[in-house]
Amino acid sequence: MKTTIEVSGLRKRFGPVLALDGMSFTVLPGRVTGFVGPNGAGKSTTMRVILGLDAADEGRALIGGRPYRSLRTPLRHVGALLDAGALQPGRTARNHLLWLAHSQGLGSGRVDEVLDLVGLATAARRRAGGFSLGMRQRLGIAAALLGDPPVLLLDEPVNGLDPEGIVWMRGLLRSLAGEGRAVLVSSHLMGELEGTADHLVVVGEGRVIADTGVAELITAASRGRVTLRTPTPSAAIPALRDGGAAVDVTDGGALAVSGLPSERVVALLNANGVPFSEVAAHRVTLEQAYLDLTGAPAGHREAAR
Amino acid sequence: MSPLTLRSGRQGGELGRLTRAEWTKFRSVRGWMAGMTTAALVIVLLGLLSASGDHASCAGAGGVEIACPAPPVGPDGTAVSDRFFFVHRQLSGDGVITARLTSMTGQIRKPDVTPGRRNVVAGVVPWAKTGVMIKDGTRQGSPYAAVMMTGAHGVRMQHDFTHDVAGLPGGVSERSPRWLRLTRSGDTLTGYESADGTRWTRIGTATPAGLPRTVRIGVFAASPGDLTVMRGDLGGSGAAVRFAEATGVLDQVTVRGDTSGDWRDDDVGATVDPDGSVHHPGRASRSGGAFSVTGVGDIAPAVEGPTAERPLGGAPAALVLVIVVSVMFATAEYRHGLIRLTLLAGPRRGLTLPAKALALGLVTFAAALPAIAVTFAAGGRILRANGNAVLPVSLPTEARVVAGLAALFALAAVLALALGALLRSSVAAVITAVVAIVVPHVVATTSILPDSAARWLLRVTPAAGFAVQQTVPAYPHVLSHDAPSAGFYPLPPWGGLAVAAGYAALALGLAAFRLHRRDA
């Protein structure tokens, strides 16, 4: 069986707050799954339940069919980055990884490999307390990769990285998925996942709102619209409406035409003698698709219940 | 991606891995390693410093100060007090001595009422003794067995200083004499007593170590000094010992067997004053089969004098350092959020604290053991070189003190670790651990508290574990000031250590319970 993360029916209450309300999804190997939702949607709690740090009131979370707490060398099954700041400041980067390695029966050779992999080889013998946020993120990634696990859970891994680091992280995530691993990456910023994630699990209020491929999500959000730029919108709008299309004026002054394929739009414009400078299939950003999906700007939605 | 290695989930292997990881954690923080090393150095330096400043001398012939002579040792190597008056003759092979004791009296010097004037009263101290004895000559410390009447503990049979068996209680007078008998048959000596000389009750048997075929047999008397325990100014206590002597009147003394030579009187172990006279001499008189013997001194293990554990006085100070390091080892997990990473690496929470405790306990034991061993050995040499007559200790006892005290350090470390994990505050945990382990020992052994309160503290707190360092036990048949301030602990060595271990286990259990219940 391919190793996956299976989350089904998780419920957890912190006092009066229902943090998880029937959270269910599956993370498949070989792709990067984005785990997105506003702050407080239950992403971190879900990850902590998957990793056996928190106990759910109901439901279960399995890795490769087993609960995390039953794993004997867990870091060889799952690598996780939760809080890059969880470090003993006086301990060197190498020793930080060494105790983790020893806990899994791994040697120092593997420690040097992952230090190399994340580009921290030269800082290996420096105290981690003096590391920048970006270096700590890299060290956290090294820890997650230590056991060469088939499953990775990374909570906001791009946080604090400089542009160069962000590019590096995206490349790393792609290549990890390319090696056949199941990679779950959480973010509260949709844009961070653009170009990285293949699949999205969108959550809000402690449950899954959408579980879909990135391409499908964007296509669905575009709904076959065509963007039209013309110097005479007053002529274009009635012509297209007469042709059976719905037309909206967008913020940039362009027209969004839906209901007709682009060839038909061009034919109608030519037939009516309307000049135009651009006709293109409309493509929404992931951010826009997400907002469409949740129906309101992130963090400003009214409670659904 | 390399194939996933699925290991068999043996718990032992898992605990071993996690313990190794905790050791890696410990050794990779410079401050913790430095703290543990400093603790070891504190043990050594304070110990050797105090031993170096500990000088003793005794008055030699002509008033010259000399190193105090080593006390005589009994057959098993225990330091003994072996001073008594012996009226004896030679016996070869098997034999029997029988005597009727008709009176036991004595005198005791009490604290002076009028300064400078000796205040001597009639009476016998509880462990004054007179009776019959078989002994390998008159050398101090040589093997013996004796049946005797005591001042307040009835008839006893004792042998080789440390062994004591009770006979019937009660006193002695002319109207109710006590018959005493000691027989030798091969290597076995048997003691009997009787009220009438016809119906005999066996008290016990003894096999004195290495008793030769030819021995001395006869009657004896001895009286340890009178012990007075006074309340000290600070609430503690002090003790003083004053002269006492005992006289036994024994008639109808018969010796059967292959005897030879005449009766001889010996003041065994008598000390000679600088002017050449015997200090507090004993005496004896004889007419026919009736003897009157007066003796001073005691035939018993020696419990007074510098003890071998004296150089280990730096242990409580070192323990404070160990406690601080141990608490930090626990609270660092919470202060930096490391506990989550620790639980990710070892999600079975029942193993988390045991692995941490095992690693810390082993580190502490390994640091303390050589420091204690060096201090004990070198400190002892320095004390002896400075003229102190250190009470000798057997090799097993030395090993017990060194390993046991190192074990106490390890247990204290585990207790402090558990308190750190339980309270999650370094300051609170350090204070709690110090108050639980170090403070009771310090106040109980420094003459601040009444003896009863000091004993109670060393019974019910983790400081009970310090009992493991006591080299000279308190014997029931020796009246001494066996208070904590004099180095005597209320619990036996391993019993005291077990109390400390119990506290460590309890605290670790509570901390594990808390870790188990909560989300991390």
Side-chain angles (χ1 to χ4, degrees):
Chain A
M1 192 193 93
K2 285 285 204 175
T3 309
T4 59
I5 304 171
E6 295 162 81
V7 173
S8 59
L10 290 186
R11 254 173 227 285
K12 184 165 179 71
R13 184 178 281 284
F14 291 111
V17 181
L18 191 63
L20 299 182
D21 183 13
M23 180 76 74
S24 302
F25 62 90
T26 300
V27 180
L28 294 177
R31 65 191 195 187
V32 176
T33 300
F35 193 35
V36 289
N39 287 327
K43 301 189 300 294
S44 291
T45 304
T46 304
M47 288 186 140
R48 291 154 54 83
V49 170
I50 294 171
L51 294 168
L53 293 174
D54 284 7
D57 302 332
E58 273 178 52
R60 54 182 198 166
L62 302 176
I63 288 162
R66 298 170 64 185
Y68 189 89
R69 288 195 194 190
S70 75
L71 301 174
R72 291 293 155 259
T73 49
L75 303 193
R76 293 170 175 229
H77 299 252
V78 194
L81 169 66
L82 289 187
D83 173 12
L87 293 164
Q88 179 79 29
R91 199 176 277 133
T92 65
R94 189 170 186 280
N95 281 328
H96 174 73
L97 296 175
L98 196 57
W99 77 257
L100 279 170
H102 286 162
S103 73
Q104 308 300 304
L106 298 166
S108 58
R110 180 62 190 159
V111 169
D112 295 327
E113 274 175 39
V114 291
L115 279 168
D116 238 9
L117 191 64
V118 302
L120 282 178
T122 54
R125 288 172 200 278
R126 277 171 52 193
R127 291 174 176 222
F131 279 13
S132 67
L133 188 52
M135 287 171 87
R136 288 180 189 208
Q137 270 320 352
R138 286 171 185 260
L139 185 55
I141 294 289
L145 295 176
L146 196 59
D148 194 16
V151 175
L152 286 156
L153 273 81
L154 310 173
D155 196 7
E156 309 268 358
V158 187
N159 249 3
L161 290 183
D162 54 18
E164 187 197 350
I166 292 172
V167 171
W168 168 78
M169 179 68 76
R170 285 182 173 160
L172 180 69
L173 295 178
R174 298 287 335 144
S175 76
L176 290 170
E179 289 163 355
R181 294 176 221 256
V183 183
L184 182 68
V185 181
S186 82
S187 177
H188 66 286
L189 296 173
M190 202 72 175
E192 281 182 356
L193 295 170
E194 193 148 20
T196 308
D198 309 286
H199 194 84
L200 289 176
V201 173
V202 183
V203 295
E205 307 276 318
R207 60 176 165 242
V208 174
I209 296 168
D211 186 345
T212 173
V214 171
E216 290 96 309
L217 181 68
I218 290 172
T219 307
S222 334
R223 291 189 294 268
R225 282 188 289 179
V226 173
T227 303
L228 169 66
R229 289 189 186 279
T230 170
T232 55
S234 52
I237 293 169
L240 291 170
R241 282 189 177 151
D242 290 347
V247 184
D248 290 318
V249 181
T250 66
D251 292 344
L255 299 179
V257 185
S258 49
L260 291 175
S262 48
E263 314 84 68
R264 184 83 189 106
V265 171
V266 171
L268 278 171
L269 293 174
N270 286 336
N272 290 281
V274 180
F276 60 92
S277 55
E278 181 190 349
V279 174
H282 178 86
R283 187 170 171 80
V284 295
T285 60
L286 203 49
E287 200 80 53
Q288 185 61 49
Y290 172 67
L291 291 180
D292 285 354
L293 198 62
T294 53
H300 294 281
R301 289 172 300 122
E302 292 302 314
R305 277 163 286 129
Chain B
M1 182 168 54
S2 66
L4 186 67
T5 320
L6 282 169
R7 285 236 173 148
S8 64
R10 283 186 307 115
Q11 181 149 342
E14 194 176 2
L15 183 62
R17 283 198 310 271
L18 295 179
T19 305
R20 185 174 177 216
E22 292 296 339
W23 157 236
T24 307
K25 271 188 198 173
F26 188 89
R27 71 176 163 83
S28 58
V29 174
R30 207 175 293 166
W32 299 345
M33 288 296 275
M36 206 52 95
T37 311
T38 308
L41 289 176
V42 164
I43 297 174
V44 177
L45 293 178
L46 286 184
L48 299 189
L49 206 64
S50 81
S52 305
D54 203 345
H55 291 265
S57 60
C58 291
V64 182
E65 297 276 301
I66 56 163
C68 291
V73 292
D76 64 355
T78 311
V80 298
S81 157
D82 199 8
R83 194 192 163 186
F84 59 101
F85 203 88
F86 196 20
V87 182
H88 55 101
R89 61 190 310 193
Q90 182 170 299
L91 171 73
S92 289
D94 296 347
V96 181
I97 180 167
T98 305
R100 185 178 76 159
L101 181 72
T102 56
S103 109
M104 183 177 187
T105 54
Q107 50 178 328
I108 301 170
R109 184 179 177 190
K110 288 293 182 186
D112 295 352
V113 180
T114 314
R117 200 164 142 217
R118 289 170 63 87
N119 176 21
V120 177
V121 299
V124 286
V125 297
W127 284 105
K129 34 189 81 102
T130 181
V132 295
M133 177 187 283
I134 289 174
K135 186 172 171 75
D136 175 16
T138 56
R139 183 178 54 83
Q140 282 185 293
S142 62
Y144 74 95
V147 175
M148 67 198 73
M149 183 69 206
T150 59
H153 297 280
V155 171
R156 322 288 293 195
M157 179 173 179
Q158 296 183 351
H159 76 278
D160 289 358
F161 307 95
T162 54
H163 303 274
D164 169 54
V165 176
L168 295 172
V172 62
S173 66
E174 290 213 31
R175 294 176 66 179
S176 59
R178 305 289 290 257
W179 290 77
L180 307 172
R181 173 175 283 173
L182 184 60
T183 70
R184 176 176 193 182
S185 172
D187 289 335
T188 305
L189 279 68
T190 309
Y192 301 90
E193 65 170 305
S194 168
D196 54 15
T198 51
R199 281 167 307 173
W200 290 91
T201 307
R202 200 181 72 119
I203 306 167
T205 61
T207 309
L211 194 68
R213 193 179 134 71
T214 298
V215 294
R216 307 302 300 186
I217 189 167
V219 297
F220 77 98
S223 173
D226 183 49
L227 179 80
T228 317
V229 177
M230 298 146 297
R231 289 292 292 271
D233 298 335
L234 287 168
S237 63
V241 177
R242 289 183 186 79
F243 162 79
E245 66 175 24
T247 302
V249 177
L250 303 109
D251 62 5
Q252 302 193 31
V253 175
T254 59
V255 179
R256 287 207 314 271
D258 180 10
T259 57
S260 58
D262 208 355
W263 290 98
R264 264 175 45 196
D265 293 354
D266 266 298
D267 207 348
V268 175
T271 50
V272 179
D273 280 337
D275 64 4
S277 65
V278 171
H279 188 70
H280 290 315
R283 59 198 174 276
S285 60
R286 178 173 77 250
S287 62
F291 295 74
S292 171
V293 196
T294 300
V296 178
D298 202 4
I299 311 163
V303 294
E304 303 281 336
T307 51
E309 69 266 29
R310 197 183 267 190
L312 299 177
L319 213 45
V320 173
L321 276 172
V322 168
I323 285 169
V324 171
V325 170
S326 304
V327 164
M328 303 290 272
F329 188 47
T331 53
E333 293 274 353
Y334 297 98
R335 196 169 56 215
H336 305 292
L338 264 177
I339 185 70
R340 282 183 214 112
L341 212 46
T342 301
L343 290 176
L344 284 185
R348 265 210 282 183
R349 299 197 180 182
L351 295 181
T352 310
L353 283 170
K356 236 177 156 52
L358 204 56
L360 178 68
L362 289 173
V363 169
T364 311
F365 187 81
L369 188 72
I372 293 166
V374 164
T375 310
F376 189 79
R381 288 178 80 112
I382 294 172
L383 280 180
R384 287 185 194 91
N386 285 348
N388 294 285
V390 178
L391 296 175
V393 175
S394 70
L395 200 61
T397 302
E398 283 184 1
R400 181 255 292 165
V401 169
V402 171
L405 194 58
L408 178 64
F409 268 78
L411 290 171
V414 171
L415 177 58
L417 170 90
L419 288 171
L422 200 57
L423 304 176
R424 300 190 181 178
S425 148
S426 303
V427 175
V430 166
I431 289 174
T432 308
V434 169
V435 165
I437 307 165
V438 181
V439 171
H441 183 254
V442 171
V443 300
T445 56
T446 46
S447 285
I448 295 170
L449 296 176
D451 290 349
S452 58
R455 285 196 190 95
W456 181 82
L457 273 182
L458 292 177
R459 228 180 248 285
V460 305
T461 68
F466 279 100
V468 82
Q469 65 173 340
Q470 182 180 333
T471 55
V472 176
Y475 294 92
H477 63 288
V478 180
L479 186 65
S480 65
H481 180 225
D482 54 351
S485 55
F488 291 94
Y489 291 85
L491 292 178
W494 296 118
L497 201 63
V499 170
Y503 275 101
L506 177 71
L508 201 63
L510 289 175
F513 180 70
R514 182 171 180 197
L515 182 68
H516 201 78
R517 273 169 48 104
R518 295 268 295 255
D519 289 338

